[in-house]
Amino acid sequence: MGARRGFVVLVYDPVDQGERYQKRDGRHEWSSVREHNAIGVRALLLGESAAQVRLHDGMRAVDYLASRTDVVDPGRIGVAGISGGGTLSSYVNAFEPQVACASPSGFLSTVRDVFDNCGPQDAEQVIFGQLAIGLNHLGLVCLRTPSPILVSASHADFFPFMGTADLMDKAKHVFGVAGAADRIDMIAVSGPHHW
C-alpha cells in the first residue's frame, strides 16, 4: 500500500513467520501465535520476553532504513502495522528515536480491558515486568510525545474498542499538555480485526 504511494517500504518476517521458523524438526505450526508463545515461555524462564526479540528486530530494521540515505530520508521514517504489526509498531515508535511517526492498528487498548475481555495475550505482546515498571499501552503511546501517532481501531475487534477510546482520551490529554494536541488522532472503523 505505501509503496504504491511512493514510500520506501521495508517488510520483513517476524520470528516464527514467513521464512524465520524456529522449530528444528522442519515442521511448522501454521499458527504464529503458538510458535510465538513457545518462544515466549522459554524467554520468561530467563526473565526476558519474545517482545524484546521483536522490538530488537524492528529497531535494527529502522537502523538499516536510516543507513540507506540513497533512497531514504532518515528524518522521515515511520512505522505502521496491524495486529502483531500494530504491537511492533507501537513498541518501535515508543523506543526507537529515529522513528518520526507511527500508525499502529489492531493492538492498542488498555491492559485491563484486554485482560478482562481477551485474557492473557500472545508472548510478543507482553514485555516481561512491564506493569511493575508502569509500562502499559498508554505509556507506549506517550513515551515519544510529541512524535505524531495515528491509532487505527475497529469497533468489533477482539482488542476492546472501549479501551482504545479510553487510551485515546488520556493520550490526547498528555499530548495537549505538551502543546502537541494536533499530533495524535484515531481512525475508528466498523468491522472486525483489520486495518
Side-chain angles (χ1 to χ4, degrees):
M1 176 170 66
R4 289 184 190 152
R5 296 183 183 250
F7 290 95
V8 175
V9 176
L10 174 63
V11 179
Y12 62 92
D13 293 335
V15 172
D16 275 321
Q17 289 179 266
E19 298 176 353
R20 295 180 66 191
Y21 288 105
Q22 302 301 301
K23 292 179 86 173
R24 294 177 189 212
D25 62 7
R27 293 180 295 150
H28 307 299
E29 300 281 342
W30 290 107
S31 165
S32 60
V33 172
R34 281 188 289 221
E35 295 200 18
H36 290 169
N37 287 339
I39 290 172
V41 168
R42 292 178 183 106
L44 285 174
L45 294 172
L46 301 173
E48 303 288 335
S49 70
Q52 290 169 281
V53 173
R54 302 251 346 249
L55 175 58
H56 182 266
D57 276 357
M59 293 173 78
R60 298 302 64 84
V62 171
D63 285 343
Y64 173 72
L65 283 173
S67 76
R68 293 297 311 270
T69 56
D70 55 325
V71 292
V72 173
D73 177 348
R76 299 181 70 189
I77 294 174
V79 292
I82 171 71
S83 196
T87 305
L88 181 61
S89 58
S90 298
Y91 289 159
V92 173
N93 182 60
F95 297 109
E96 176 51 69
Q98 295 178 93
V99 170
C101 61
S103 185
S105 179
F107 167 65
L108 291 168
S109 186
T110 67
V111 174
R112 178 174 302 283
D113 283 308
V114 170
F115 279 18
D116 286 350
N117 291 284
C118 306
Q121 292 303 290
D122 306 341
E124 76 270 13
Q125 294 175 326
V126 179
I127 296 173
F128 183 80
Q130 72 184 57
L131 295 179
I133 61 170
L135 180 60
N136 56 21
H137 290 199
L138 178 62
L140 291 172
V141 171
C142 295
L143 272 171
R144 291 286 311 290
T145 305
S147 179
I149 186 165
L150 176 63
V151 175
S152 299
S154 298
H155 286 276
D157 200 333
F158 50 83
F159 284 101
F161 182 81
M162 292 310 296
T164 307
D166 182 46
L167 173 141
M168 287 302 296
D169 286 343
K170 291 174 179 158
K172 284 181 179 186
H173 175 74
V174 171
F175 273 67
V177 168
D182 62 334
R183 292 179 166 241
I184 184 167
D185 209 347
M186 177 172 77
I187 294 175
V189 298
S190 61
H193 186 67
H194 66 81
W195 198 354

